[in-house]
């Protein structure tokens, strides 16, 4: 059992290498072991690419796979998708034992891969390090079961909860280490979202500015009245990666100008005189966007929390104090009147990032 845990931890570590590249597919890692020795490793590297099991088997020297044990973080598929079914290959290679961290939540697969392997007299064990595997693929689990994106609400604030000064100056609240981590989070998720006020005040790029090879996320602006400036960075630098979610209150001429720049415009119904965020999430899910990080501002933050659209909170707290009754906080809007109605979080985690404190929690 101790060795099983060791090899499954290795499979989970391999799976993480696919972060940001496999969406909307799950991250999967696989390790092939024989005579208590790793003989092959693999992970799902990019959307449409070979699955982890295939890569692990291809990593094995000729005729070594028979009689081996395969450790895989997710149930092998048994259906024909962009790639051939992995369960068939496992049987063909005469692998004798398969240890699976979790069953696939995808209704097309769930349980069928396990049953197929068992029907071919392969010993199958399910549930080893399941909690870690589920957390690894929390985005995929939410998306494949609801067809809606997994939503992370990110904020960067001072110790007294301010996200900017009384003059709306916000660069920089947190330190360089936190900002680099946010860029890596942008890689892991498919899209980032901001309200139009953030565009007006900060004119952000919302891209990834790190060394190495990265995949820039889609940028989504919620903009009820179509106020986004045509000369903003999001419309000038990467318009093909930008979606403006607006309503019929936006001038048709402005909508056409935005589209002419290369951005996509999503016309949404109104809810409480603002963009219907539930409609936005449903539409983005239908587009294949499995995850979103909301980065600002405070009004948008309250709206998505009020609508129950947030799955996870990530807050970076800097060792600074700004004060100011009019200085914006991380969550604005109308607010909640009764303490009994407060939005509660669970499984809270904290860690130091440079001089800042990162707090992570999941909405109950």
């Amino acid at each position: 059992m101790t060795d099983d845990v060791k090899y499954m931890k290795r499979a989970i570590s391999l799976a993480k290498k696919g972060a940001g590249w496999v969406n909307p597919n799950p991250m999967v890692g696989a390790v092939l072991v024989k005579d208590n020795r790793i003989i092959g490793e693999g992970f799902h590297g990019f959307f449409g690419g070979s699955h982890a099991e295939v890569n692990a088997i291809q990593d094995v020297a000729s005729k070594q796979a028979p009689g081996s044990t395969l450790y895989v973080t997710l149930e092998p598929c048994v259906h024909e998708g962009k790639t051939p079914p992995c369960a068939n290959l496992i049987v063909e290679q005469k692998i004798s034992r398969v240890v699976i961290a979790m069953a696939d939540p995808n209704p097309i697969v769930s349980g069928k891969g396990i049953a197929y392997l068992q029907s071919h007299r392969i010993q199958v064990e399910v549930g080893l390090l399941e909690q870690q595997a589920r957390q690894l693929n929390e985005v995929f689990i939410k998306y494949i079961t609801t067809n809606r994106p997994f939503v992370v609400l990110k904020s960067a604030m001072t110790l007294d909860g301010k996200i900017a000064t009384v003059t709306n100056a916000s660069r920089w609240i947190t330190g360089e280490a936190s900002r680099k981590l946010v860029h890596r989070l942008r890689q892991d998720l498919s899209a980032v979202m901001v309200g139009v006020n953030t565009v007006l005040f900060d004119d952000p790029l919302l891209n990834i500015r790190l060394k190495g090879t990265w995949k820039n996320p889609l940028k989504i602006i919620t903009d009820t009245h179509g106020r986004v400036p045509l000369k903003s960075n999001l419309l000038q630098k990467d318009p093909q990666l930008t979606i403006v979610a607006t309503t019929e209150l936006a001038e048709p001429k402005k909508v056409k100008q935005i589209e002419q720049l290369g951005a996509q415009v999503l016309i949404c119904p109104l809810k409480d005189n603002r963009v219907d965020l539930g409609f936005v999430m449903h539409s983005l899910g239908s587009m294949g966007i499995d995850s979103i990080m909301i980065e600002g501002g405070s009004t948008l933050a309250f709206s998505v929390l009020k609508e129950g659209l947030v799955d996870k909170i990530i807050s970076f707290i800097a060792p600074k104090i700004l004060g100011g009754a009019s200085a914006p906080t991380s969550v604005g809007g109308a607010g909640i009147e009764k303490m009994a109605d407060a939005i509660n979080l669970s499984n809270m985690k904290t860690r130091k990032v440079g001089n800042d404190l990162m707090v992570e929690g999941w909405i109950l």
Side-chain angles (χ1 to χ4, degrees), residues 27 47 62 101 133 198 233 260 290 297 314 329:
M27 291 177 278
F47 179 72
S62 177
T198 296
N233 281 322
Q260 287 174 337
D290 68 348
I314 297 179
T329 58

Side-chain angles (χ1 to χ4, degrees), residues 235-313:
L235 292 181
Q236 291 293 324
K237 304 289 186 182
D238 286 311
Q240 73 281 0
L241 291 177
T242 300
I243 299 173
V244 179
T246 188
T247 70
E248 59 185 13
L249 298 179
E251 293 184 4
K253 179 181 177 181
K254 182 69 173 288
V255 170
K256 186 175 181 179
Q257 289 173 322
I258 293 170
E259 290 176 332
Q260 287 174 337
L261 288 172
Q264 181 177 346
V265 177
L266 178 65
I267 302 297
C268 310
L270 283 163
K271 186 173 183 178
D272 298 328
N273 294 315
R274 296 182 183 276
V275 168
D276 185 337
L277 294 169
F279 177 87
V280 173
M281 297 302 174
H282 177 77
S283 299
L284 295 176
S286 298
M287 296 177 192
I289 299 171
D290 68 348
S291 51
I292 298 169
M293 182 162 66
I294 298 175
E295 296 204 33
S298 62
T299 301
L300 176 61
F302 179 74
S303 296
V304 290
L305 285 167
K306 180 184 176 183
E307 294 291 322
L309 300 173
V310 178
D311 298 288
K312 184 177 181 179
I313 301 283

